[in-house]
Amino acid sequence: MKNILSTILLAGSIAVSAQAKEDSIQFAKISTEILNKGKGYTELRELTKNIGHRLSGSESYEKAVQWSAQKLREAGADKVWLQEVMIPVWVRGKESLYIKTAKGNWKSLKMLSLGNSEGTGGKDVTGEIIMVRSMEEYQKLSPEQVKDKIVFFNYPFSQSYIETFLGYSDAAKYRTTAASLTAKKGGKFAIIRSLSSAFDDVPHTGAMRYADEQKIPAVAIGSTTADELAELLQSQKVTAKLNSNCGMKGERRSHSVIGEITGKKDQSVIVVGGHLDSWDVGEGAHDDGAGIVQSIEVLRTFKNLGIRNNHSIRVVCFANEENGVRGGVQYGKIAKESNEKHLFAIESDAGGFTPRGISLDMDPEKRKQIQSWSELFLPYGIYDFKNTYSGTDLYPLHDMGIPAAELVPDSQRYFDIHHTEEDTFEKVNRRELLMGAVAMTQLIYMIDKNW
């Protein structure tokens, strides 16, 4: 009996070893193909330089829709279609922020209105600035202290977190709620310190939201400007003057873009995607042009290597992630209504920097299975499988019980340029970008083969 059992265990071990070797060879083929023949970097140049920023509702976003549909066809998708979605239209317009010191001189500050913020209607709005350094400090202020004032939320991005997304999450509440908090106590508008890991004068935009119908403006200033303003406020009263023309302009019919290679075994779906829109400053290269071209690269690589996928591999270029997530919500709604079976979904929306891992937002059994493949990924620098979040556009799928994930690139530089004029093609390294596509393709290969 012992000999029989030993023979069975040995046979199983040999089979596992042979399978691992086969997978390792396929991983190498994927990497070689993408690093030598991948088109993601040149496609990112086209997207950022020929189209530029892609704010939801803008003409440039509509150009990006047609561009990505064409790129999916060229990559080998046997089906390409546009998924209709109503998206909010927000425009920035001309804007300026000045401060007046005790000497009586007006000084211009570099600033950006926050996304979805209402403006001043092109009129000057003036008032005295009061500063708070935390939410707790603001809550202690009475309405009388805030009324007719401009509140400056000077909460710094924490440098203590090694994973900078934790610093971002920690500070994000100031961006999303500053305007409503200020309005509730009678303030005129809010200024926030940008959610930036850099020590520079670059303002960062990003979405905010209103808690009620009382809508006042909210703007962001860069780190060094915030420091200078804070120092000034220690010794004197400072008056601010804002003039802005931003605001919501209703909704517009637009589209997410979808392309797939149909599965040979069944048509259950594996989603890989990014969001096609960006903010209206910079070129949206890391956020999230990188995720778009990496996702298209996955599909192209399956086609070029002749990998006959068991399940349908679907690339989704989601609309309106930045200021509404309408594309992700609509995709989930249609998937649910059509009772379409989804096996897995991964998004790349954390920049095109060197990939370090994959975050797994799923049940423990599925997570352990993917983690068991970790040795295959190690030669490619992918080692971190501990996180348990997934891409913003995927939350409707995750809420339906579908295993979801997100590519985890090195985050140290991302929040230096996130949502700024600095997010340009020149900030993206070709090999780093393509290595992200390698990791995603390798993972999709394993999911398609084993699930």
Short mmCIF file of all heavy atoms in Angstrom, two decimals, residues 24 35 147 155 186 236 239 390 421:
data_model
loop_
_atom_site.label_atom_id
_atom_site.label_comp_id
_atom_site.label_asym_id
_atom_site.label_seq_id
_atom_site.Cartn_x
_atom_site.Cartn_y
_atom_site.Cartn_z
N SER A 24 5.90 28.24 -17.24
CA SER A 24 7.08 29.10 -17.24
C SER A 24 7.54 29.43 -18.65
O SER A 24 7.91 30.57 -18.95
CB SER A 24 8.21 28.42 -16.46
OG SER A 24 9.36 29.22 -16.45
N LEU A 35 7.90 42.74 -24.94
CA LEU A 35 9.06 43.63 -24.82
C LEU A 35 9.71 43.92 -26.17
O LEU A 35 10.32 44.98 -26.35
CB LEU A 35 10.09 43.04 -23.86
CG LEU A 35 9.68 43.02 -22.38
CD1 LEU A 35 10.75 42.36 -21.54
CD2 LEU A 35 9.39 44.43 -21.86
N LYS A 147 -18.40 82.02 8.83
CA LYS A 147 -19.29 82.80 7.97
C LYS A 147 -18.54 83.87 7.19
O LYS A 147 -17.79 84.66 7.75
CB LYS A 147 -20.41 83.43 8.79
CG LYS A 147 -21.45 84.17 7.95
CD LYS A 147 -22.59 84.64 8.79
CE LYS A 147 -23.56 85.52 8.01
NZ LYS A 147 -24.09 84.84 6.82
N TYR A 155 -4.01 70.26 4.98
CA TYR A 155 -3.69 68.92 5.48
C TYR A 155 -2.69 68.28 4.53
O TYR A 155 -2.99 68.03 3.37
CB TYR A 155 -4.95 68.06 5.57
CG TYR A 155 -4.71 66.69 6.17
CD1 TYR A 155 -4.68 66.52 7.55
CD2 TYR A 155 -4.51 65.58 5.36
CE1 TYR A 155 -4.46 65.26 8.11
CE2 TYR A 155 -4.28 64.32 5.91
CZ TYR A 155 -4.26 64.18 7.28
OH TYR A 155 -4.03 62.94 7.84
N GLY A 186 -21.34 78.54 6.35
CA GLY A 186 -21.48 79.89 5.80
C GLY A 186 -20.25 80.46 5.13
O GLY A 186 -20.21 81.66 4.83
N GLN A 236 -0.27 87.57 9.82
CA GLN A 236 -1.17 88.62 9.35
C GLN A 236 -2.45 88.06 8.75
O GLN A 236 -2.53 86.88 8.43
CB GLN A 236 -0.45 89.47 8.29
CG GLN A 236 0.01 88.67 7.07
CD GLN A 236 0.83 89.49 6.11
OE1 GLN A 236 0.29 90.13 5.23
NE2 GLN A 236 2.16 89.48 6.30
N THR A 239 -6.36 88.23 2.57
CA THR A 239 -7.60 88.22 1.79
C THR A 239 -7.38 87.45 0.50
O THR A 239 -6.33 87.59 -0.15
CB THR A 239 -8.06 89.65 1.47
OG1 THR A 239 -8.28 90.34 2.70
CG2 THR A 239 -9.34 89.66 0.65
N SER A 390 -9.56 46.43 -5.66
CA SER A 390 -9.61 46.29 -7.11
C SER A 390 -9.96 47.63 -7.73
O SER A 390 -10.31 48.59 -7.03
CB SER A 390 -10.62 45.22 -7.53
OG SER A 390 -11.90 45.46 -6.96
N GLU A 421 -0.88 68.86 -14.65
CA GLU A 421 -0.33 69.16 -15.97
C GLU A 421 0.94 68.36 -16.25
O GLU A 421 1.40 68.27 -17.39
CB GLU A 421 -0.03 70.66 -16.08
CG GLU A 421 1.01 71.14 -15.08
CD GLU A 421 1.20 72.63 -15.05
OE1 GLU A 421 0.31 73.37 -15.53
OE2 GLU A 421 2.25 73.08 -14.55
#
